Amino acid sequence: MSRIPDVRRMIAELVALPSVSSVDPALDQGNLAVIECLAEWCEALGFAVDIRRLPGDPGKANLVATLGRGEGGLVLAGHTDTVPFDADRWASDPFTLSERQGRLHGLGTSDMKAFLALALEAVRTLEAGQLDAPLVLLATADEESGMEGAKALAGSGPVAGRQAIIGEPTGLHPIRVHKGMMMEAVRVTGRSGHSSDPSLGINALEAMHGVIGELMTWRDELGRRYRDERFAVPVPTLNLGHIHGGDNPNRICGEVVLHYDLRPLPGMSPEALRAEVETRLRGVMAERPGELTLSSLFPGQPPMETPETAGIVAAARALTGEEPGAVAFGTEGPWLRDLGMDVIILGPGDIAQAHQPDEFIALDRLAPTVTLLQRFIHRFCMEGAA
């Protein structure tokens, strides 16, 4: 069966379809064109295709494509969106697949459109009658800006398959544990005035200086309280990622907004962390003029840990010859877990390439990924599947 383009052409076509998702509405785009392209290829391969629009946004959708029937089965999952990009820092057009020195460059090649093409390549020769359990291709929206696609799955109908591979960039090393992710905003509001007389206003930037100091102190304390040696960075991390305040040197700064990213370890509660930081920052502001407002940029993503005894973990160990490990970045795994799936993270890209100019996937990763996915499919969907 070859009614779809070759794998390199599939990657090129997916890269060519812009699908940036961002918390900034000015940069945010839909992913429907990518979903419709994948749906067309899935239909050509005999999948039953279900395009599920996200509530309130007709330009965004998830794809649930199912081949075969029965209990159990395997889900090959990936998100269709990319992060924003700096075009002037790319050596080639981000939306045109470009080969250089054994690498395919393009926005989303590593993170993670190429995986979706490779998953389809792995099933090119399969037919539903060969399967004893369902095989599902799951493609989602908005992973990069709030996991909205994964969250919408719970209320959009059933998804077959009980073992899942999410093809995020891991260099083909299996992962069963990852940190959570929180993106939080801190706003300090003062009062603007002429800079020649500090008494004419309340400088929000000076108050934010104290807030930042307290966040850095808290970060150090979290690192002493929590530690998990399975991670390359074994402590929770807190990154001060964005700050904006004031408008002119000769005006007292009337407002400052800070955004930070916090990566909790398994066992740490996002709700408890938010309560703790609020208590600490309100204590800081009690000694300073100005008003403090805290908010979440998105509800947050919990950590994930798939049991060592899970079938997908055992299969990953056997098929790769590696012990499934841990990574610091987050995925849609917790939401697939909530749908009743056991999840590993396993994809051909490298996290060092994710979100970078000249993002690429190595050509020598393509064939091994297809072979490995075919072995997982045989294990969970074909004769002898448990």
Side-chain angles (χ1 to χ4, degrees), residues 35-250:
I35 291 295
E36 290 175 339
C37 180
L38 289 168
E40 180 179 344
W41 294 337
C42 287
E43 285 182 334
L45 293 174
F47 284 77
V49 168
D50 183 8
I51 296 177
R52 303 181 183 183
R53 304 291 181 101
L54 266 61
D57 195 337
K60 298 186 178 185
N62 295 326
L63 171 67
V64 182
T66 308
L67 187 69
R69 299 179 179 179
E71 299 297 320
L74 179 66
V75 177
L76 303 178
H79 63 83
T80 58
D81 58 317
T82 71
V83 293
F85 59 97
D86 302 307
D88 59 344
R89 297 181 61 195
W90 280 68
S92 55
D93 180 1
F95 296 106
T96 300
L97 197 67
S98 174
E99 181 179 346
R100 300 192 295 277
Q101 298 178 330
R103 301 166 173 175
L104 295 178
H105 293 264
L107 186 63
T109 47
S110 185
D111 184 21
M112 55 172 291
K113 289 180 175 181
F115 174 80
L116 295 166
L118 293 166
L120 288 175
E121 183 67 16
V123 303
R124 182 186 291 270
T125 60
L126 291 181
E127 296 181 1
Q130 297 175 269
L131 304 181
D132 297 325
L135 174 64
V136 179
L137 181 76
L138 176 62
T140 58
D142 277 12
E143 189 269 353
E144 297 287 8
S145 58
M147 308 285 178
E148 298 304 323
K151 293 174 187 175
L153 285 171
S156 66
V159 178
R162 287 299 166 257
Q163 310 293 325
I165 298 172
I166 300 178
E168 291 278 10
T170 70
L172 289 181
H173 302 296
I175 301 298
R176 69 175 185 89
V177 184
H178 66 62
K179 294 181 180 181
M181 179 174 63
M182 300 164 61
M183 293 184 181
E184 306 295 304
V186 181
R187 183 184 302 270
V188 175
T189 305
R191 186 176 69 249
S192 60
H194 199 285
S195 63
S196 64
D197 186 350
S199 70
L200 296 175
I202 297 172
N203 196 311
L205 192 54
E206 292 181 6
M208 182 61 82
H209 177 267
V211 167
I212 290 174
E214 185 65 19
L215 285 172
M216 294 175 70
T217 298
W218 186 51
R219 177 178 64 189
D220 293 342
E221 291 180 13
L222 290 176
R224 291 191 293 270
R225 283 159 48 189
Y226 300 99
R227 194 171 186 90
D228 190 331
E229 297 296 341
R230 293 177 296 183
F231 293 94
V233 180
V235 296
T237 58
L238 190 156
N239 177 64
L240 305 174
H242 164 88
I243 191 166
H244 179 79
D247 51 27
N248 217 49
N250 63 352

Side-chain angles (χ1 to χ4, degrees), residues 6 34 76 226 293 297 343 384:
D6 63 62
V34 180
L76 303 178
Y226 300 99
T293 305
L297 297 173
V343 182

Side-chain angles (χ1 to χ4, degrees), residues 23-36:
V23 296
D24 182 350
L27 301 176
D28 194 49
Q29 300 174 326
N31 74 322
L32 188 58
V34 180
I35 291 295
E36 290 175 339

